[in-house]
Each structure stands twice: as C-alpha cells, then as structure tokens.
Amino acid sequence: AQSVAQPEDQVNVAEGNPLTVKCTYSVSGNPYLFWYVQYPNRGLQFLLKYITGDNLVKGSYGFEAEFNKSQTSFHLKKPSALVSDSALYFCAVRDLSRSSNTGKLIFGQGTTLQVKP
Amino acid sequence: GAGVSQTPSNKVTEKGKYVELRCDPISGHTALYWYRQSLGQGPEFLIYFQGTGAADDSGLPNDRFFAVRPEGSVSTLKIQRTERGDSAVYLCASSFGGRETQYFGPGTRLLVL
C-alpha cells in the first residue's frame, strides 16, 4: 500500500535560518510526490512536485525539495525562512495501485512550521 | 484566473439532517476530486470524477455519502442523515486530467451538532 509519513508534528525555526520539513514515502514503483501548504481557514496550495528528472525540485515561494530514492524521502527545504512561511505543510504521494488509475493523493499527517522573528 | 470555489464556506446542521456541498472547479478541468480533512489530519480521498462519471468512489465512508457531477463541471457532495462524526472540512480539487496537479478549493467546514 502507498503511504506517506511526516515524522514531525511541528518544526520551529528562526527567521532567516534554513528550514527542512521531512517526508518519507512507501510506494510500489516510481513515486509521484507533492508538497502542499495550508494557511489557517484556507485550502491547500500547491508548492511543488516530483515526477521524474532532477532530484532537486524547485517550487513556489522559494521552496525546494530533494528526492532521495535510497532513503525514500522527499524533504521540503528553504534556504532562508520567513515569518510568513508559518503554516501547515502536507506531503502527498499519488496512489499508483492497480485499482486506482485516478491520480488520487495520499497525504501525510501534516507538519506545522513555526517561524519566529 | 479563477480557482476552485466551494460553497458554503461553513455549514452547521443538526444530527440526522441532509446537507449538500458544492464545488465549482477550474474552467476546463475534467478531473474533480473530493477529500475530507478531519481536525489534525491530512486530507483523505472520498471520490473522483472524470467528466460526468464517478471513476472511483472507493473513499466514500458509507452509503449516506453520494456525489454527482451531471454536466461535467460543478459537483455536489450529498450527505444524508448526518452524524456528528461527519464534522470535518470537505475539500474539492480539480485538475486537467487524472494524473495532473490538483488545485484545491478553500473547503467547506461542516459541523454536525
């Protein structure tokens, strides 16, 4: 079964410091991986995705993510955090099981990022 | 351009009542998804439409839940005999196709008293 794990409920970082939000996955076959961000009382906003190609994927708002096949990880990173980056972040994998040729997403539990001034 | 819109933004109902939640996808998107997000959890898949047909409804929790998309655009999620456990944020997403990036609406927050 496909699954995603976000091992940290919350990540705290000082403004201007680099940030990392962790994600590991379990899939059969090649993974299609996504990061979304959710601000309070808002829907999910797409940040970036990995389908194939370069292991370092660049996305919106200065975020990037590194795909590591050997560690089955897809950590979200940003070189310099902003207070406005404080939000809830979700990692997701596309369900590639035979019974689901639908592209539905399987999400992690989410990680709250708190950036302190 | 306009994103995915959902109405109402909030819905309070009483146990046992019927509710309808509406999703208006991005124009031209043929794929439409419904997810449910409970407090402190990630979204969970409910149902997927490709055009007018429900291609995958494996995530619907029971037969009280039903969704339609009669003209291949707007979709309505219908919940009969609501229960307190149905309280959650219901998210809609759309994409150009079943394997493209999904764009989410703001959600409908449903509270069943």
Side-chain angles (χ1 to χ4, degrees):
Chain A
Q2 334 282 332
S3 66
V4 169
Q6 294 180 242
E8 303 155 315
D9 288 337
Q10 181 157 328
V11 170
N12 298 309
V13 64
E15 187 174 33
N17 283 0
L19 69 87
T20 299
V21 182
K22 296 180 180 177
C23 171
T24 59
Y25 65 88
S26 174
V27 301
S28 53
N30 294 321
Y32 290 14
L33 296 158
F34 301 80
W35 276 102
Y36 286 85
V37 59
Q38 187 174 38
Y39 295 96
N41 300 315
R42 304 270 296 274
L44 277 70
Q45 295 180 33
F46 169 72
L47 280 179
L48 51 80
K49 66 181 177 183
Y50 173 83
I51 304 296
T52 187
D54 289 342
N55 289 342
L56 186 64
V57 179
K58 294 190 182 297
S60 306
Y61 313 120
F63 283 93
E64 56 191 27
E66 186 170 10
F67 172 69
N68 187 316
K69 188 172 184 178
S70 63
Q71 297 185 5
T72 62
S73 68
F74 189 56
H75 300 333
L76 182 69
K77 300 173 187 263
K78 188 173 182 181
S80 179
L82 300 173
V83 172
S84 58
D85 292 330
S86 299
L88 183 56
Y89 290 80
F90 288 99
C91 182
V93 64
R94 179 171 286 156
D95 188 349
L96 299 175
S97 58
R98 186 202 66 80
S99 63
S100 176
N101 190 28
T102 64
K104 69 184 181 188
L105 297 175
I106 298 169
F107 286 86
Q109 296 283 79
T111 299
T112 299
L113 173 66
Q114 188 74 32
V115 182
K116 300 283 179 62
Chain B
V4 178
S5 62
Q6 292 185 246
T7 54
S9 54
N10 291 280
K11 176 70 176 179
V12 181
T13 191
E14 295 178 343
K15 180 175 178 296
K17 299 289 189 182
Y18 168 82
V19 297
E20 289 189 351
L21 312 179
R22 176 188 166 108
C23 172
D24 205 333
I26 293 171
S27 178
H29 281 191
T30 59
L32 186 146
Y33 302 79
W34 283 99
Y35 292 83
R36 179 167 71 172
Q37 185 177 17
S38 300
L39 195 62
Q41 305 290 320
E44 294 180 321
F45 169 78
L46 294 176
I47 187 169
Y48 159 68
F49 288 89
Q50 180 57 47
T52 60
D56 182 354
D57 64 359
S58 62
L60 295 178
N62 52 59
D63 61 6
R64 295 187 297 105
F65 288 74
F66 188 70
V68 296
R69 195 186 185 199
E71 298 178 356
S73 179
V74 171
S75 176
T76 304
L77 178 65
K78 308 180 181 198
I79 311 174
Q80 298 176 321
R81 303 182 305 280
T82 52
E83 299 178 356
R84 293 192 180 90
D86 298 335
S87 297
V89 176
Y90 289 81
L91 296 167
C92 177
S94 70
S95 65
F96 274 115
R99 288 176 175 263
E100 301 299 322
T101 299
Q102 294 175 33
Y103 295 92
F104 284 78
T108 293
R109 187 175 300 274
L110 175 66
L111 177 61
V112 182
L113 300 176

